[in-house]
Amino acid sequence: MSDDISEQELLDRLRAGDKAACALCIDLHGAHIYRLALSLMKNEADAEDVVQETFLSAFKHIGSFEGRSGLNTWLYRIAYNAAMMRLRRPSPFTLSLDDALEPEIPAMVPDQLFEWCCLPESEFETNETRSFLQAAIEQLPEKLRTVFLLREMDGLSTQEVAEVLGISQDAVKKRLHRSRLWLRERLSEHFAGPMGV
Amino acid sequence: MSTETHDCRHLLADLSLYLDGEASATVCAEIEQHLQDCENCRVMVDTLRKTVYLYRHLERPSLPEHLRQQLFKKLDLSELI
Ligand SMILES: [Zn+2]
């Protein structure tokens, strides 16, 4: 089956139990779901279980998918809920107070104002820098990490992230911003450190 | 608290919107005006922009092949692997 069929056509075929459509759906969305699962579960074995559960459940319940959101958003929600169940957290959709509890961006001027952005490119193009940044992303506080991953690494829109996590678009924007500030701070420490700044 | 610090804190909250081109024209003008006079915020904007650039160029893990095969078998899609 060709990769460039429309989502509507894919959905129609999934609903009809078309095997090739299931395979295509996994190949289109599997990597995204895996990355979300890995970020939430923090180990490969559990992430793999979440991915399996997500697709098994999705194909079983495809008839109840109304198509008001995109298929990807729906799959993310299933995966997110599956991960939360495994982590034994309450479903995020019961937390309607979530946005009211959204902490403000701390009123601080960041500590690290070393101008590292203009270092030579060779400083950035190292495996060490890439691993450092990857590790920093994994250490993002969970509330920030999930928003960050969906919005920045998987390219969902603000509205889609809000739908997946059951939070407001404003909360998505705030968390994304806090993630960036947090990562910038880590990178500043990283680049300032060895240079004795 | 000096006025400068107050402005810096105030602007910090809008910097992502600014970098993403989602800030209002008023906010953009305010930020650009401030950046002309504030070295700290200029560094902040430059390094924040570079941070975004760096993580957007990271490699992302793909679906492990053994997991894909397991899934296809479970769903009786083996002939499509
Ligand atoms: Zn300033």
Side-chain angles (χ1 to χ4, degrees):
Chain A
M1 188 188 288
S2 145
D3 275 14
D4 53 11
I5 66 169
S6 70
E7 179 152 307
Q8 189 53 54
E9 191 182 345
L10 179 62
L11 276 172
D12 290 342
R13 293 198 196 177
L14 287 174
R15 289 190 179 113
D18 180 333
K19 284 187 181 183
C22 292
L24 179 60
C25 181
I26 292 168
D27 286 339
L28 285 175
H29 299 289
H32 298 274
I33 299 300
Y34 177 67
R35 291 196 283 266
L36 174 64
L38 197 56
S39 152
L40 292 167
M41 305 309 294
K42 296 201 156 188
N43 76 75
E44 288 171 12
D46 288 340
E48 291 182 7
D49 287 346
V50 167
V51 172
Q52 297 220 21
E53 191 179 329
T54 300
F55 283 105
L56 293 174
S57 169
F59 296 148
K60 190 169 157 195
H61 297 110
I62 189 73
S64 65
F65 173 59
E66 295 170 8
R68 270 179 297 174
S69 61
L71 179 59
N72 63 343
T73 311
W74 186 64
L75 290 169
Y76 278 120
R77 282 182 67 139
I78 296 175
Y80 188 69
N81 282 334
M84 289 299 121
M85 287 290 280
R86 277 167 193 274
L87 295 166
R88 296 180 196 286
R89 310 267 176 81
S91 161
F93 304 112
T94 60
L95 292 176
S96 56
L97 287 176
D98 186 65
D99 292 340
L101 298 172
E102 189 68 19
E104 283 301 305
I105 294 166
M108 52 123 198
V109 176
D111 301 338
Q112 300 284 342
L113 285 169
F114 165 51
E115 176 68 301
W116 52 266
C117 76
C118 305
L119 291 171
E121 276 303 308
S122 57
E123 286 287 326
F124 299 115
E125 299 300 321
T126 64
N127 286 334
E128 198 222 339
T129 295
R130 281 188 279 268
S131 318
F132 179 86
L133 185 51
Q134 196 68 58
I137 290 170
E138 283 161 25
Q139 287 157 14
L140 271 170
E142 184 189 298
K143 260 185 134 179
L144 303 185
R145 197 174 65 242
T146 311
V147 166
F148 177 81
L149 181 95
L150 294 175
R151 182 79 185 90
E152 289 288 57
M153 306 307 269
D154 272 351
L156 267 66
S157 67
T158 300
Q159 188 186 339
E160 286 170 331
V161 178
E163 279 173 26
V164 172
L165 300 178
I167 58 179
S168 70
Q169 295 193 40
D170 197 46
V172 171
K173 288 181 188 173
K174 281 186 181 155
R175 289 185 200 183
L176 172 62
H177 183 51
R178 285 163 58 208
S179 305
R180 287 176 174 177
L181 291 178
W182 196 89
L183 291 171
R184 192 207 71 88
E185 203 73 9
R186 299 288 82 71
L187 281 173
S188 298
E189 291 160 8
H190 174 72
F191 288 119
M195 313 189 80
V197 176
Chain B
M1 191 198 296
S2 74
T3 311
E4 183 175 296
T5 308
H6 175 77
D7 284 350
C8 298
R9 286 180 186 174
H10 175 65
L11 291 182
L12 183 64
D14 288 324
L15 282 187
S16 273
L17 294 179
Y18 173 70
L19 289 180
D20 292 341
E22 290 178 15
S24 67
T26 319
V27 171
C28 284
E30 206 184 330
I31 290 177
E32 276 153 21
Q33 175 66 48
H34 179 82
L35 290 180
Q36 290 190 356
D37 305 321
C38 181
E39 173 65 16
N40 279 353
C41 283
R42 265 206 303 275
V43 172
M44 180 70 196
V45 169
D46 288 346
T47 50
L48 193 60
R49 186 183 283 122
K50 189 77 185 186
T51 299
V52 173
Y53 172 86
L54 286 177
Y55 68 63
R56 285 192 180 158
H57 286 78
L58 284 177
E59 255 181 56
R60 292 132 215 223
S62 51
L63 189 69
E65 187 53 33
H66 70 267
L67 175 58
R68 180 177 178 271
Q69 295 198 12
Q70 255 177 28
L71 200 47
F72 275 48
K73 280 186 191 133
K74 268 201 181 156
L75 288 161
D76 197 21
L77 306 170
S78 295
E79 75 268 28
L80 296 167
I81 285 177

